[in-house]
Amino acid sequence: MSNDKTAITPTRAQDFPEWYQQVVKAADLAENSETRGCMVIKPWGYGIWELIQQQLDRMFKATGHQNAYFPLLIPISYLEKEAEHAEGFATECAVVTHHRLEPQKDPVTGKTKMIPTGELAEPYIIRPTSETIIGAAFSRWVQSYRDLPLLINQWANVMRWEMRPRLFLRTAEFLWQEGHTAHETKEEAIDETRQMHRVYETFLRDHLAIPVIPGEKTENERFPGADMTLTVEAMVQDRKAIQAGTSHYLGQNFSKAQDISFTGRDGTVQHVHTTSWGVSTRMIGTLIMAHSDDDGLVLPPRVATQQIVIIPVTPKEDTKQGVLDACKALAETLRLEKRFHGDPLRVHVDTRDIQGGVKKWEWVKKGVPIRIEIGPRDIETRKVCVQRRDQASNEKEFVDKEDFIRNATDILQEIHNSLLQRATAFRDSNIVPCESIDTFHAHWGQDNPGWLITPWAGTPEEEDELSKKHKITIRCLPLDKQDEPEAKCILTGKPTKSRAVWGRSY
Amino acid sequence: MSNDKTAITPTRAQDFPEWYQQVVKAADLAENSETRGCMVIKPWGYGIWELIQQQLDRMFKATGHQNAYFPLLIPISYLEKEAEHAEGFATECAVVTHHRLEPQKDPVTGKTKMIPTGELAEPYIIRPTSETIIGAAFSRWVQSYRDLPLLINQWANVMRWEMRPRLFLRTAEFLWQEGHTAHETKEEAIDETRQMHRVYETFLRDHLAIPVIPGEKTENERFPGADMTLTVEAMVQDRKAIQAGTSHYLGQNFSKAQDISFTGRDGTVQHVHTTSWGVSTRMIGTLIMAHSDDDGLVLPPRVATQQIVIIPVTPKEDTKQGVLDACKALAETLRLEKRFHGDPLRVHVDTRDIQGGVKKWEWVKKGVPIRIEIGPRDIETRKVCVQRRDQASNEKEFVDKEDFIRNATDILQEIHNSLLQRATAFRDSNIVPCESIDTFHAHWGQDNPGWLITPWAGTPEEEDELSKKHKITIRCLPLDKQDEPEAKCILTGKPTKSRAVWGRSY
């Protein structure tokens, strides 16, 4: 690939949405299936999800949560209990109405077709989220304050009938985790909601190298049935926002609808306060859009399916075995002796019998943080050729093998830091304070506009009107910007200490 | 609990099926839900599944497999392609026919009900198994012999509309893994089928302490669409068989139906040979029935959610803190310094403010391999009181704390060995060779009959007749018993070197 050519066509600047599709394809992460809106997550993409799962799961367990598993199918009568929640989800869900297929011969074509039979007395929906079915279990499990808090998490697939699916970002079926907790008091439940919000912020920053804006959703943007929704908002390279994770305080809305009650310390019967919080395979879409470049995927090292790929350079048959042995020995040393944030290094040796340049570009497009080449000369000089995915594709450095082994985890951390720094600088230069409604209106006429942060004290209706006008939303009320110097609301002129962040989003 | 009373009522001898339900309940493993045939897997039960997953996953990766994820919903047209497969699964599946719910007021009650709308042009079924949808992906992925072998595994939920569900053993929805591989040649595919069969045998023996009979299924008992089905058959304490895992050689049946073809080394277009293999949450039911006793669950140490539970004995307020500190310190030492088969020990300190006897029995019923008690006197003498779940509940031993720390993993291994030994002795004394058809007929009239191993050369029809007559099946043709001295088939009298194992099963 020469310097003026990129591995991905089109580039980000030419057509961002199409660039995204091409990166997913070039990195072999996922593909569409014949099931409407559902994707196949291929091994390289699923590897990222496995790492996200493992690392988040440790954080959940460290904060006292336990995993459990609840039914995929929800009786539709459950949805009739919490009205707002039902309205929010029932318009887009998969409904199971029959439990049998029978073969039937088509009189015209003569072919056998399968026909649904065995109609169910009560249909089920495939869970779009599990508040109702987990709530039903909680109402069985909680009797006394001694049974609280209940701190449960579920790793599962869920389904929402999306009209305009997009790989990872919006798919009918997706994988996620959903935490569900029940508490004695409002304070405790809110503490939990905030704690898990912080877990997501930390995870995105320290594992995915994505700097988010943590904040609260306005009433308009809340989870259906929640009293408070906290969100972590990521900015990706076309300056759109992606809601990367949410944590909800559900008050007593679900516990009253489903009778999750307990005998309190004072002997009275009370309803629990519940929370729920989740992140999904959408995070993979977020990290692709946040970090990747015109040569393909760029993976943050902690969630890289492979962190180091070693490519043997074997021009001649007589030195080939020696080079292969050296590559495998280096991989083994790195795997056994080095740990990055507690986990053994993930190192792959690409021994395929194909051209070296083809190999190199495949791993560039797949986003591997460090590529190593070893040839016959390097064995004599005890050096390895190191290339970093966060640097230009033609940059390389020959370093002593022993130095590389010693520094491998530091280099991975440097790559993480450089991705985080780059994303933070990009985000910060694209969130602009705005106190004039004229500037505000004009802003959204630009191509790929950044976010605006404004004083805001409007009503939900006023927010809705502004949002629709410009196809934007209040992404959040940033947690650290709710006690600012008093200023005039950008629309109503009412004095306010609160600030809102506005932007376009996926 | 006095010696003549058991923690579980009824006992195994009194009513084995009901005893099983009560063990599941007493150990807090799972419960029924309001979704027909679907269970809630509670944290203690899900913890076992997480450990099964982790440990099997390592074995799959060590044999070159990668994880991926495929859609939950299968277009019903896919089922029309492989006739035998469709017939085997379509009679019991959840069918999705609509993609929306709309609220409708009931004119009689005035209540709002949710009504399915948005009928789909082509319905979907929830995967009962994924051969067809994974085959569709394979047909896109495979072009040349260079793309082979494809070695894929999926961890997923699947659904089969079971008429008589039973927690873990037979549920409408269950969790499992399904391996799917595609190969250039028949030999390679059969090697893979046998390899994964051995992985299951090893896993059951070394991780679950269950000695299985590995063998091949007869044609009657094969997976729908398979050319060969290998099985691992476990005997549980009522002498019934449980098929604990299967590995199928699918020949070219699916690859021809779905056109998974490639250009071979000789330039001709050929169909791949595929395999599939799976184990499920059914394994948890198997291990409960294999090892548990009249005091509740007995967990094999490698899959014990907690391996060691430490119970502080705190009779007096002034020594309480010292005891708690000693318990926590011991737990921390064990967690940080000891590894059992490579994994850190799982140690829990039960600090709840409830009576010691209640605590003890809770952990007995939950099957924790080692219980430790520490009281104020033990701190002075530097001893701990050790109780093992594989020994009588009133047996205890006071040992030096340092000795216990040193020997903890050895004790866990001893417990594993004793469970395996006990189960092996039980199995071996309950598989009886039988060469007379009269003895054969008489055998099945007993209560809880063991298995019979007989010379067999009958037809599928003859096998079916015998099976129906006694409500038995040929569990397998044991791999190591297919080249025995020639003997007369128990039914037909034809000479045969093959032996078949017959039994009742779950």
Side-chain angles (χ1 to χ4, degrees), chain B residues 9 43 57 67 70 91 93 152 208 233 277 315-316 373 403 436 487 493 505:
Chain B
T9 312
D57 199 66
N67 290 328
F70 299 85
T91 51
C93 61
I152 298 291
L208 305 187
E233 296 286 324
W277 29 276
K316 288 181 190 160
E373 287 180 7
D403 285 343
S436 131
S505 70

Side-chain angles (χ1 to χ4, degrees), chain A residues 274-295:
Chain A
T274 64
T275 83
S276 68
W277 29 275
V279 297
S280 72
T281 35
R282 174 164 243 236
M283 280 212 289
I284 298 177
T286 311
L287 77 84
I288 299 168
M289 285 197 170
H291 298 307
S292 300
D293 63 21
D294 296 337
D295 284 334

